[in-house]
Each structure stands twice: as C-alpha cells, then as structure tokens.
Amino acid sequence: MDRYKRVAQLRTVEDFRTYLDTLGVSLPFDETVTAGPDAPLAQPIAYGVRAIGNRFSVLPMEGWDGTHDGRPTELTARRWQHFGASGAKLIWGGEAVAVRHDGRANPRQLMINADTWPELAGLREQLVAEHATRYTRTDDLLIGLQLTHSGRFARPDPDNKLKPSILYPHPLLNHKFGFPDDYPVLGDDDIRRLIDDFIVAARLARQAGFDFVDLKHCHGYLGHEFLSAVDRGGRYGGAFENRTRFLRELVDGIRAEVPGLDIGVRLSAFDWAPFKPGADGTGEMEAVNGGYRYAFGGDSSGHGIDLSETFAFLDLLHSLDIRLICITAGSPYYNPHIQRPALFPPSDGYQPPEDPLAGVARQIEAVAALKAHRPELIFVGSGYSYLQEWLPNVAQHVVRAGMADSIGLGRLILSYPEVAADILTGQPLARKRICRTFSDCTTAPRNGIVSGCYPLDDFYKGREEAARLKAAKERTK
Ligand SMILES: Cc1cc2nc3c(=O)[nH]c(=O)nc-3n(C[C@H](O)[C@H](O)[C@H](O)COP(=O)(O)O)c2cc1C
Ligand code: SF4
C-alpha cells in the first residue's frame, strides 16, 4: 500500500507534522512525552471511593480460543496474563463474553453461565496475579467483563455458520451476509427473555469478582443494533426512547438483582453504511439510494457523523448513573477502516480508502466532542494502535487536553503487552514489537483459526496455526 507513508518512516516531529498537514488530518500531539509519577499519563482517575491508577486501558479482544462449551483455554489465560502485565490500570471487559449459546460470535467465544463462571473468575485472578508480580499495587486496578449477544453476527456452533438473531431486516446487511429480506426478527418477548439472561450473566460476573460489566453497544452486535432499529415497531424500535429501552431494562434489572455491581457501556459512537472492495480492491461505500437511515451517530449520507443522538445516549447513561464509557466506532464486519484503522486489510476487508491516520483522528475527535458534552463521565478512547511510534505523543496530548480520560490499547497489546509500562517509565519503545496493523489477528479468526499476533509474537509464529493462516491468506489473495 504505497499510497500511504508508513508511520515507522515518520521519524521526526517535523516528518509527522508535515505528513499530517499533507493529508489534511488534524491530530494534535505533544512533541515530548514525560515519564514518571508526575507524567500526565500516570495520573489516577477518581472513580467513586477508589481510583483507577493511570490513563491506560486494555480494550476487549477475543481470541477465538475458548472451548466449544465456552470455557477459557491456556491461550485465553496467556492473553489475560498479558493484559495484567500491560501496566494499564483499567481492563475494559477482557473480551466479549456471550450471555448464552445463540449469542456467540464464534464457536470458540467464551460464555458465562453456571458451569463456566468459576473459570472466568480464574482468568481475572491470573490477570491480577500477573499485575501484582510486576507492579505490586492492585487496589487501583479496575476490571470489567464485556457481556454480549452477537445478534446479526452470531456463529455459535462448530459448523461456523452464521445463525443471526436480528431486530429488523436491514436493507443492505441482510443481503451482504447472505440471508433473505424476510428472515425472522426477534419478538419483544424474545428480547425480554434475553434481558433476563443478561441479568443472570451480570450476577455471575459479580460472583467471579469483576468490578463492572460492560453492556456492549457497539460493532453491529445486538446491543448496537437496537440503536438503529428505526424501522422496528413495538416497544424496542422506532423512537429513541424505544431504541434505548433494552439498555434501560438491563440496567434496571441489574441494579435490582445485583446491587453493588458497576455498569459500563462500550458504544459505537458513530456508524457508517457498509463498505466493500471496489474494482481495484479499495474500499467504497455500498450504494445507499435515497440516503441511509441505519447509522447511529451518522448522517444520512452513510459516511458522515451526526452526534446528536449519541449526545442524547450519553445524557441517558448519566441519568442512569453510569460513568464508565468506552468509545469505538462502526463495525469490524462492514466498515472496518473506521473501527480499527489498518494499513493491511483482513482477508474479508478492503484496501483502506483513506490514510489510516484519518481513521484514528476521526475517533479521537469524536471522543473529544463527547467528553466536552458530558465531562463528568469517564471516557476511554479506541483506535490508537495505528499511531505506532507516535502513540505516546498523541496519547499524552489527548489526556492533558482533557479530550479523553483514558487511552484504550487494542492490537498493540497483542504484539507488545508491556507497552503501557514502558511508556510510563520512559523506556524507549521496542520498535520490533510495535503492531504494524498487518491484521492477522483479525484474518485468523475469520478463517476459523485462533487469533493472536502471528507476525510479531514468537509464541504464535511457532504454532501449527501459523501455516494454516498463511495458506488461508494465499487462498484469499
Ligand atoms: C483480534 C481482535 C479482537 C477484538 N475483540 C473485541 C471484543 O471482543 N470486543 C470489543 O468490544 N472489541 C473487540 N475488538 C476491537 C478492539 O477492542 C479495538 O476497538 C480495536 O482493535 C481498535 O483499537 P486498536 O487500534 O488499539 O487496535 C477486537 C479487535 C481485535 C483486533
Ligand atoms: S497481527 Fe499483530 S501486528 Fe498484525 S494487526 Fe494484529 S497485533 Fe498488529
């Protein structure tokens, strides 16, 4: 992808600034980064009676490596230990955990139920133990569990077939993912039963020792689909009040049945229409004849942002006394470039239609607008991994300027788990371990292979799955 300069080539402040100017991308950054206890990124965040020890969060990342009955494996445990080793003090969700079988995004996704919860408790304990070994203090570590139903993108069974649960027939997504326009939608009673399953899952998460549950509302999964259910009738569709009823009923139920458990929400703050590869492989938006109505936080063009409903959603979270918000965008299935900016697309993606730095800047700008709207909420931002060598400079600026409270780290944690600690202590970054957004951690699960950083993590390089991944990439070239 020679169209865009590699970030690793932007070696000086001048190089970085000039390149951003050439792109017309506004991405503020600090020229120098401070380390040590007084550094902006080392400052705690006040949270109720406790503090979150610094300004880094680990974002949730599934590994496609649980058992078929939803339990973690050694691979899962290794990843959670790495989360603990990162030095980040907020663990946002660990990874998506399905509240029941039909809500799994893949046949190896974790599930929380009466049988599996002790093993999820074990994952948390291993994370805490690793953190304690390296950093001693753990009273300032806040750990959540992400609860989800994968809705339209559910593939729960070993046959790996899509078995969607949908809220409305989407004029583009039904077709794109190969199911008919008249595919049945969940009824209001089905939704009520699902809410009960979420409440049971929240109780088990509490039992497993988690500080909070994230009621996932992002990436095109079911929670997120409610927000765009403008065409649905009944109690859960149409007006904003109905589209947010799922969230309100979840919160009411959890507050009543699991007192003392905190709640957070990971939200796709804006969405766009689906993209597909164009004639030369570059992503282009699918035709949205007459405008697009299904992008929560988006405008009717299908590729613009209108945060007015997102602001209203934050007002609702505030009124529900929810303070922990993690912001992301779009969906990894139909517009990955706005969700996880990358130079190299996953096997089911497309060449980036913009410099990925533009995608990073878009998410940062949106979070800053949301933080300005509701400064009393704690905002975690996402999509920073593409910044590579420049991540510490941008992160410090964002936190110092109050544009977000915490910097979420996703892919970079897979390639370089201790990165937050290195930034905080002023170690030069280990350049060979910096994620270069090769997307193998997404391509692998798309091809039924466990996820991991195959290019940079020796542990995965040496596994038999590495050869299978290579073959899968050859096939989809
Ligand atoms: C392999 C992989 C698995 C992911 N799994 C989840 C998940 O379980 N839940 C979630 O909310 N986001 C998930 N994400 C999205 C990340 O949390 C994050 O938003 C995204 O990678 C962008 O951040 P980054 O630029 O730091 O990677 C996943 C991303 C990757 C690469
Ligand atoms: S496979 Fe490794 S280098 Fe590639 S995007 Fe994932 S974490 Fe980054």
Side-chain angles (χ1 to χ4, degrees):
M1 186 36 67
D2 296 324
R3 250 191 309 161
Y4 309 124
K5 267 199 176 160
R6 309 248 168 145
V7 172
Q9 293 169 342
L10 305 171
R11 290 190 170 256
T12 66
V13 163
E14 220 28 63
D15 290 346
F16 189 41
R17 183 164 293 132
T18 307
Y19 186 55
L20 290 172
D21 288 347
T22 319
L23 296 174
V25 166
S26 162
L27 189 60
F29 65 95
D30 285 356
E31 291 189 8
T32 53
V33 177
T34 318
D38 297 330
L41 290 166
Q43 297 317 298
I45 303 171
Y47 180 62
V49 291
R50 56 193 289 188
I52 301 168
N54 63 36
R55 301 308 182 106
F56 284 112
S57 301
V58 174
L59 296 175
M61 277 175 296
E62 294 168 71
W64 223 90
D65 50 19
T67 61
H68 285 307
D69 57 353
R71 300 166 195 273
T73 60
E74 281 167 24
L75 295 179
T76 327
R78 179 179 184 268
R79 190 170 52 256
W80 282 62
Q81 283 160 13
H82 285 178
F83 293 168
S86 68
K89 291 288 188 180
L90 176 52
I91 308 297
W92 188 286
E95 63 188 276
V97 174
V99 299
R100 64 186 201 194
H101 180 78
D102 71 355
R104 298 171 90 189
N106 68 67
R108 301 198 57 183
Q109 184 173 48
L110 298 185
M111 241 187 322
I112 186 161
N113 57 39
D115 296 328
T116 62
W117 76 265
E119 287 168 67
L120 300 181
L123 281 181
R124 195 200 73 91
E125 279 157 21
Q126 290 175 73
L127 185 160
V128 175
E130 185 66 34
H131 193 84
T133 307
R134 290 172 183 252
Y135 311 110
T136 317
R137 257 189 97 169
T138 58
D139 61 313
D140 58 351
L141 180 64
L142 193 76
I143 308 175
L145 189 70
Q146 184 175 64
L147 298 183
T148 190
H149 187 293
S150 302
R152 179 176 288 280
F153 298 107
R155 288 178 195 270
D157 295 318
D159 62 12
N160 206 26
K161 294 225 166 80
L162 201 58
K163 295 180 183 159
S165 297
I166 63 170
L167 298 172
Y168 62 93
H170 188 294
L172 297 176
L173 291 179
N174 277 36
H175 177 70
K176 188 176 178 68
F177 291 93
F179 51 100
D181 290 342
D182 61 356
Y183 187 86
V185 300
L186 289 181
D188 286 3
D189 291 348
D190 298 325
I191 293 169
R192 246 336 301 178
R193 280 191 288 275
L194 177 61
I195 290 169
D196 291 340
D197 292 332
F198 264 87
I199 296 167
V200 170
R203 187 185 307 116
L204 296 173
R206 173 74 172 159
Q207 230 161 279
F210 289 94
D211 298 306
F212 70 97
V213 287
D214 163 21
L215 303 177
K216 186 174 189 177
H217 274 66
C218 60
H219 300 166
Y221 295 114
L222 198 78
H224 188 207
E225 182 154 312
F226 276 100
L227 301 180
S228 63
V230 287
D231 289 342
R232 185 184 166 99
R235 300 178 72 237
Y236 296 97
F240 179 80
E241 203 205 335
N242 287 350
R243 284 182 279 129
T244 53
R245 190 182 303 281
F246 175 69
L247 173 79
R248 283 184 282 114
E249 293 186 351
L250 282 180
V251 173
D252 285 352
I254 293 172
R255 289 268 156 75
E257 308 249 337
V258 202
L261 177 67
D262 280 356
I263 296 175
V265 172
R266 190 160 202 226
L267 172 70
S268 280
F270 58 88
D271 198 6
W272 282 6
F275 273 57
K276 60 175 188 196
D280 68 351
T282 305
E284 61 183 36
M285 195 175 78
E286 295 201 9
V288 292
N289 305 326
Y292 190 70
R293 296 157 40 74
Y294 310 99
F296 179 79
D299 68 17
S300 59
S301 70
H303 59 95
I305 297 179
D306 173 356
L307 293 176
S308 37
E309 283 211 330
T310 314
F311 289 145
F313 190 76
L314 292 181
D315 295 343
L316 173 64
L317 293 177
H318 181 251
S319 74
L320 294 169
D321 201 22
I322 293 173
R323 280 192 71 206
L324 294 169
I325 323 292
C326 184
I327 296 296
T328 172
S331 165
Y333 298 103
Y334 55 82
N335 49 28
H337 74 288
I338 66 168
Q339 198 263 327
R340 51 184 83 157
L343 200 53
F344 306 95
S347 58
D348 62 344
Y350 43 78
Q351 295 298 332
E354 62 183 3
D355 189 295
L357 288 168
V360 177
R362 185 180 298 114
Q363 287 201 43
I364 290 177
E365 201 179 314
V367 177
L370 301 174
K371 177 73 186 167
H373 178 73
R374 276 281 167 202
E376 58 277 73
L377 306 182
I378 295 173
F379 285 90
V380 179
S382 308
Y384 284 80
S385 287
Y386 187 73
L387 289 167
Q388 303 163 59
E389 279 84 349
W390 293 100
L391 187 148
N393 305 66
V394 174
Q396 179 177 291
H397 181 93
V398 164
V399 162
R400 227 175 25 77
M403 296 160 70
D405 299 286
S406 183
I407 305 300
L409 301 175
R411 291 163 293 179
L412 182 54
I413 292 283
L414 298 181
S415 69
Y416 184 177
E418 311 83 5
V419 66
D422 282 358
I423 296 169
L424 291 165
T425 53
Q427 294 289 317
L429 291 187
R431 299 192 74 201
K432 288 196 168 143
R433 303 180 70 198
I434 296 179
C435 165
R436 301 298 179 190
T437 66
F438 295 122
S439 290
D440 282 6
C441 51
T442 305
T443 295
R446 294 288 193 266
N447 290 279
I449 301 167
V450 296
S451 176
C453 183
Y454 289 85
L456 302 182
D457 182 344
D458 288 339
F459 176 86
Y460 282 95
K461 268 187 208 169
R463 289 180 63 87
E464 58 89 15
E465 288 94 342
R468 282 169 52 209
L469 174 62
K470 195 166 165 223
K473 284 170 76 171
E474 287 298 322
R475 276 198 308 276
T476 50
K477 241 182 197 169

